Amino acid sequence: MEIRLNRKEFLDELSPMQGIVERKTTIPVLSHLLLTAREDKLHLAATDLDVSLTSWCDAEVKREGGIAVQAKKLVEIIRSLTGEEVLLTQEESRELTIRAGRSRFKIHGLSPDDFPTLPAVDDGGNVPIPFADFRRMIGKILFAVSAEESRFQLNGALLKLKAGAVEMVATDGHRLALVESRLEGGTGDDAVLVPRKALQELTRLEGEGKLEYRRGEHHLSFRLGRRELICRILEGTFPDYERVIAKDNDKKLLFERKTLSEAVQRVALLTGDRARAVRLQFAPEQMVISAANPDLGEATEEVGCDYDGPEFKVGINPDYLSHFLSAVDTERIRLELKDENTQCVAYPFEGQDIRYLCVIMPMRI
Amino acid sequence: MARIHLLPDYLASQIAAGEVVERPASVVKELVENALDAGGREIEIQLEHGGKSRIQVADDGSGMGRDDALLAFDRHATSKILTFDDLERVATLGFRGEALASIASVARVEMTTAEQPGDGHRVSIEGGRVRGVEPYARPRGTTFDVRSLFFNVPARRKFLKSPQTELRRCLEVVQGYALARPDVRFLVLHEGRNLLDVLPAGATGPRERIGQIFGTELAGRLVAIPEVSEAGRGGERISGFLGDPETARGRRQLVFVNRRLLRDRAVLAAFYRAVREEWRSEDFPALFLFLDIPPEDVDVNVHPQKAEVRFRDPGLIDRVYDAFRRGLERARGEEPAPLRPPVSEPYVPFAWQGLGQMTQPEAWRRGATTDLPVQVTGASTSSWSPPERLAAASYAPVERPMVPLSGRHGEARPFRLLGQYKGTLILLEGPDGLYLIDQHVAHERILYERLRRSLLAETTPVQHLLTPLFLEVAPDEHLRLLELAPALDHCGFGLAPLSGNTLGVTAVPAVLGSAEAEALLRTLAHEDHEGAAAEDLRRRILEALAASLACKAAVKMHHPLAPQEMESLVAELFTAEQPYACPHGRPVVLQMSDADLERRFGRR
């Protein structure tokens, strides 16, 4: 290949590729990016076999060609260079020369044939979703996606398209987060499990406008402008989540989000690192958060709240509460409980979504 | 008066019975074996009170005529061997002719049998004496009805466990035969409740049967062991299934020799060795091994309950090992081959691998050498010199007073720290010799004791689960876990029986991940610990947890320590409750006594 392209534009397309590339892979080519010069574009691709990202940038192509180069070094080099333009030339098949200003790098690469063939999602019907909304929704449920590999069907979130709305649900078996937003022109009834990494990388895609979503047989495609993220569909049965959202919790409390969030984090400092648990004691107009640890000591904090029911207490993992409190975007939040053994449900108070909630199973302390 | 006299016949029978009949499960075992030997295709086992009050085993096999039916209960009456040579090649499950006589001497037995439909007999026996024989119309086959086991041996009766425990053992026995004979239908009823009902498995045979008993999830994770059958070895056949790495969470390893479930240490040792070599792992997957070998090559007559055998051909274990290796290779290699290139470094089973590699020593780099008891001359104080040079460097020992490290009981121990060997061993000069301490194991021991204390003192928080964790188990494991349910609840596990042999886990101790919780429950499900008191169980669970946490947190090998760190480690070790072994049993300290050293240097 022999091409000339804008350095800034090139760097903008390289950056989102970094998250896809596996750092600790046993397959060398997966730490590489595939660069292909064709017609008047330089095409870029990165994959970890489960999630792939492709993009392109404009280039003045004198000679077409392709090579796979080590992603991390390429990004570092392009970022460190000065000048507006970069020249990429390939004299030998496995070597790429990068020139800009007075600098010249010659880096070793791998044959494009070694790079895995990326799955294609056939052009079926596509559903446009405003990207800003979609990214905001992911942020509200990502924390509840399980990191434990033993229940693989929980290593992703359920994406459900409804008439006029889109819903996302994630659970790790201890807690569950659900968000539902309006989607203009949304139709149909489709539910699919999107793996965790794809969700993470989707939030890193920069851009305005609409995300085009397409579903293939085994893969999903999300296209935002010139970037396309393709991921394998997570196979498995997602739990019947509507059943675990308690509807008859009669104890309702209203909190200032910031006050509660800070108090929980402070008291959580004195929970052990093996099993994190704080006690919440509720009384009219007040809640006491406390933690005790035989190795460390004790912590207590009183938090004002809007509540006029009977006194009771419940144990809970403070991290689960904190995750919700950081993700929610309203000034006040509502907790609904019933007793010390059943689901605690947290809601935003007057939020913009159709529905946003987080169900947290309590702990027995 | 003569002090030696002959035992009355019934007493001799009862003593002999003790070898064969220990508990209801042994009766079930003998009767099921008889039923299979008689060619039964459908075997129904009915139990009451865990088999203590009643065991009924019915088959549709060949049945017996009147004379055989009577003789069957005499000691050493058997249809299975005629001569000593026959004993050399026992192909049937039972053969000694002891079983029925033994059972009949300690229970009330009624047998109905018919060779031809309608033309049968009923024989009743009590305490070894025939009470009556009469014609009896029944379909072809035999039914044994054993009631009031040990009614005449109160001492034995007293040693029986709770009905649940005895029932679980009976189920274990039946499951074993059900796995060995997928072509036969087995049905187990306890007081009318259906505990196990497996229909003859179809074309997929053994795998289908495993699925019927242990659940389809496990059956789906099995890989066939490449079958080895050699005509040259008289029809020896090695076959079976191995689980993928996911099944390493507390699953069982079962070995069948000529369709008999055995606990064979040599075969299991070969399996563990194969897993270590092939997977480089200590996580052993599920195993179902079927060894079919010529009867004359195996001695089954070494154990009264036939639970152990002896192989005549020592090469057999090697062939089994090879089959394991090939099976394990398949079980792991699920991904397409190029995705997982083979690891090239040689496997060293013992922990001393790569003793030569060292990481940069913090203290030395910090230039703290002035306080060191041992100075490395030639090594710059500001930069780290590679191990090769360290090895060549000459030591200039700095005289340092004996450190009076005080022990747990307050006595001062005059030990002097000499230094560290390859970032791995701490060397101490003691009053009577040289001491080598494995720093990782020592630290592990200290951490373990500390963690164990705090875990046992704490109330362990319990995390309720939003959606239950489903645990598919075998019928006996199901019983065992329900038996343990109250004790498990005390430890933080919430269990609820769901459909069939699936259990729902509704709560787990918050210190465990769901995978760890599942592994622990599976292990407990097939362990046979008597008297599972809640507190004991909790202690065991927490100790296992402490041991695993301690191992992860302990200072690793090849990690240089500053002298102060070593001194405090040694001081803490001396105050440990059990300073000489790590929680997994590895030694912490090695001593080379002065006498030993002198002998080796030829001074003695």
Side-chain angles (χ1 to χ4, degrees), chain A residues 64-81:
Chain A
E64 298 192 337
I67 187 169
V69 288
Q70 224 241 317
K72 189 162 173 269
K73 276 297 157 220
L74 181 66
V75 176
E76 284 172 2
I77 291 168
I78 303 300
R79 185 178 289 141
S80 74
L81 290 172

Side-chain angles (χ1 to χ4, degrees), chain A residues 3-72:
Chain A
I3 61 168
R4 182 187 296 273
L5 72 170
N6 182 286
R7 191 180 67 87
K8 171 88 177 37
E9 199 189 327
F10 189 23
L11 191 58
D12 283 349
E13 295 313 314
L14 282 175
S15 304
M17 300 265 160
Q18 282 178 293
I20 306 286
V21 170
E22 282 285 330
R23 254 140 295 207
K24 285 185 241 160
T25 176
T26 51
I27 311 166
V29 76
L30 295 188
S31 62
H32 287 51
L33 293 181
L34 179 67
L35 303 180
T36 318
R38 204 170 49 232
E39 288 161 12
D40 52 357
K41 289 189 176 75
L42 176 70
H43 296 267
L44 297 89
T47 185
D48 70 352
L49 298 178
D50 282 329
V51 181
S52 316
L53 182 65
T54 62
S55 185
W56 53 267
C57 39
D58 290 314
E60 187 187 310
V61 178
K62 289 195 183 128
R63 185 154 47 89
E64 298 192 337
I67 187 169
V69 288
Q70 224 241 317
K72 189 162 173 269

Side-chain angles (χ1 to χ4, degrees), chain A residues 26-28 30 49 148-152 154 171-176 239-240 244-245 274-277 293-295 316-317 320 340-343 359-365, chain B residues 221 246 249 338-341 451 454-455 457-470 488-493 506 508 510-516 518 545 549:
Chain A
T26 51
I27 311 166
L30 295 188
L49 298 178
E148 264 199 307
E149 282 181 13
S150 58
R151 297 172 87 184
F152 62 93
L154 303 184
T171 180
D172 63 2
H174 295 177
R175 62 278 196 40
L176 173 145
D240 182 3
V244 304
I245 302 170
R274 290 184 300 277
R276 301 183 39 92
N293 181 305
D295 291 341
I316 206 160
N317 184 326
Y320 296 171
E340 56 184 32
N341 293 319
T342 51
Q343 293 93 319
V359 184
I360 304 174
M361 266 328 253
M363 299 172 90
R364 190 172 83 200
I365 311 184
Chain B
R221 293 191 171 280
E246 280 287 305
R249 287 190 223 125
L339 294 189
R340 211 166 266 189
L451 280 165
S454 75
L455 282 173
E458 278 169 37
T459 52
T460 21
V462 176
Q463 175 70 56
H464 293 285
L465 300 183
L466 196 54
T467 49
L469 216 62
F470 298 114
L488 284 170
D489 181 69
H490 181 77
C491 309
F493 286 100
T506 56
V508 296
V511 287
L512 299 178
S514 58
E516 292 167 303
E518 183 188 334
L545 181 68
L549 290 171

Side-chain angles (χ1 to χ4, degrees), chain A residues 150-161:
Chain A
S150 58
R151 297 172 87 184
F152 62 93
Q153 71 275 27
L154 303 184
N155 296 152
L158 187 77
L159 172 64
K160 203 170 181 180
L161 294 169

